[in-house]
Amino acid sequence: MATPRLISCVLALATLTTVGACSTGPASPTGGEPRVTGVAGGQGAAPAGTEAGVRSPAALTPEAYKSELETRHKAMSGAITSLAGARGVKALDKRVGRAEEALSGAADALSALAPPETVRAQHEAYVSSLRDFATALGATAGKVGARDLCTSSAVFTDMDDKLTALDEAGQALQEAGDYPADIVSVKAAGKKSRRLGNGSFLRKGTLNGRGSLEIDNGGSRDAVVTAVRGGSKAFSVYVRRKATFKVKGVRDGSYKIYFTHGSDWEGKTKAFTRDCSFERFEKTVKFKTTFTATQIRWHDWRITLHAITGGNARTKPVDPDDFPGG
């Protein structure tokens, strides 16, 4: 959302004086020396710093100013809190947009106010921080859409300096006169690269069958592989980049295999915070145990999460809302 531009017009007053002018034409009907004079800032001129005929609004009383802030406090703090609570990439994308609109609109409204003179400096710093944060949210929305940022914590980390500046500006205004400007309820953590151990189960389920599923992750990002049988998650396992892991004891049945790649695994949300993608294999993987008089036969499968020569299993992107997760 573009930030409105404020255009200031300044009326320049000049003094023009002609003294002792000579003319070869007819004499002036009134005679004497022709003069044109003016006085900058004199009667009829616009007050300095304002447009013609427009006066600066009178400063609000502390009570009136506090009321104006209270009117917008809930919407602004609510937008940030809602953003922090987003679960899933699509929900995050929507809430970033809503937060940008809420803070940008509040900045516009507050910039039109004339605060009490005792907090003018704090007010201007607060409005400026609101604008900066809203602008940063607009840039961050593109990163969420591109899946560069995938969780609210990653969004706040990406905007750490703007979030800190807004928090400090709000605290300064609040301390200057007990004004409700404390809208930041979250703290940005530093950029992290958290990982689980290779082969760590997020969900193990019952693995008492004879089949096995070997997973080869030759890509540049860690992955979580989730197997779904009959609409329920059977197991979910973490496989690090450039590593393999074999899930043993897979029970008979047809499984849909989903996988997500990314960086920095956040245990609380069970999601990668950055560089995330969501896919699944188009075909189901079938495990079946066959008993004969002399033999027991079962299926072992091996899948790769990266393109290989001769690969015969296609994958396709998955809507993040449809991904079964951990």
Side-chain angles (χ1 to χ4, degrees):
M1 178 179 295
T3 303
R5 299 173 59 190
L6 301 180
I7 303 174
S8 177
C9 298
V10 179
L11 178 63
L13 300 177
T15 299
L16 173 62
T17 305
T18 304
V19 181
C22 298
S23 174
T24 57
S28 169
T30 57
E33 298 176 348
R35 295 176 182 268
V36 180
T37 62
V39 179
Q43 185 175 2
T50 67
E51 297 183 13
V54 179
R55 292 183 176 274
S56 298
L60 295 172
T61 64
E63 293 75 16
Y65 180 59
K66 183 175 182 180
S67 178
E68 291 285 354
L69 287 172
E70 287 176 340
T71 299
R72 294 165 182 84
H73 182 274
K74 184 177 181 180
M76 289 191 292
S77 61
I80 293 177
T81 301
S82 177
L83 175 56
R87 293 291 180 268
V89 179
K90 293 180 70 175
L92 179 65
D93 198 8
K94 292 179 181 178
R95 295 186 187 188
V96 166
R98 291 172 185 169
E100 179 193 3
E101 291 179 2
L103 271 68
S104 180
D108 290 344
L110 293 176
S111 67
L113 300 179
E117 288 297 330
T118 55
V119 294
R120 179 174 293 278
Q122 292 89 337
H123 169 83
E124 291 177 352
Y126 184 55
V127 171
S128 178
S129 293
L130 283 173
R131 289 198 189 285
D132 288 346
F133 191 75
T135 299
L137 280 170
T140 298
K143 297 178 183 180
V144 174
R147 304 293 189 262
D148 295 332
L149 303 176
C150 310
T151 64
S152 60
S153 62
V155 167
F156 290 128
T157 296
D158 189 63
M159 304 194 323
D160 184 20
D161 56 337
K162 299 294 188 297
L163 184 69
T164 299
L166 178 58
D167 191 25
E168 292 176 350
Q171 289 180 5
L173 180 55
Q174 181 168 304
E175 292 171 359
D178 193 27
Y179 294 114
D182 55 330
I183 64 171
V184 178
S185 57
V186 298
K187 296 293 182 182
K191 190 174 182 179
K192 300 179 180 179
S193 295
R194 294 163 291 185
R195 307 170 74 190
L196 296 181
N198 189 56
S200 296
F201 280 96
L202 282 74
R203 177 183 177 83
K204 194 168 185 179
T206 302
L207 295 173
N208 59 1
R210 295 181 179 272
S212 67
L213 177 67
E214 184 176 359
I215 303 164
D216 182 0
N217 179 19
S220 59
R221 296 170 294 164
D222 290 0
V224 170
V225 177
T226 300
V228 175
R229 183 183 65 176
S232 300
K233 289 180 286 187
F235 59 85
S236 187
V237 63
Y238 193 99
V239 184
R240 289 192 169 194
R241 60 179 179 267
K242 309 298 182 183
T244 61
F245 182 74
K246 181 182 285 188
V247 180
K248 300 178 181 179
V250 180
R251 304 173 69 184
D252 288 0
S254 295
Y255 295 79
K256 293 180 181 178
I257 307 297
Y258 295 80
F259 59 98
T260 175
H261 280 111
S263 301
D264 183 39
W265 180 258
E266 188 174 67
K268 181 180 179 180
T269 58
K270 294 186 177 180
F272 290 109
T273 69
R274 304 187 305 273
D275 306 320
C276 59
S277 61
F278 305 87
E279 301 176 72
R280 79 171 179 86
F281 286 92
E282 291 184 346
K283 293 184 179 180
T284 58
V285 176
K286 296 181 179 180
F287 290 86
K288 183 178 180 181
T289 302
T290 303
F291 296 87
T292 68
T294 58
Q295 295 178 327
I296 301 176
R297 297 180 178 178
W298 63 87
H299 290 94
D300 292 326
W301 288 87
R302 181 175 184 271
I303 59 174
T304 59
L305 306 184
H306 57 283
I308 60 172
T309 302
N312 59 2
R314 294 180 177 274
T315 63
K316 65 179 182 181
V318 175
D319 187 311
D321 285 355
D322 296 333
F323 193 81

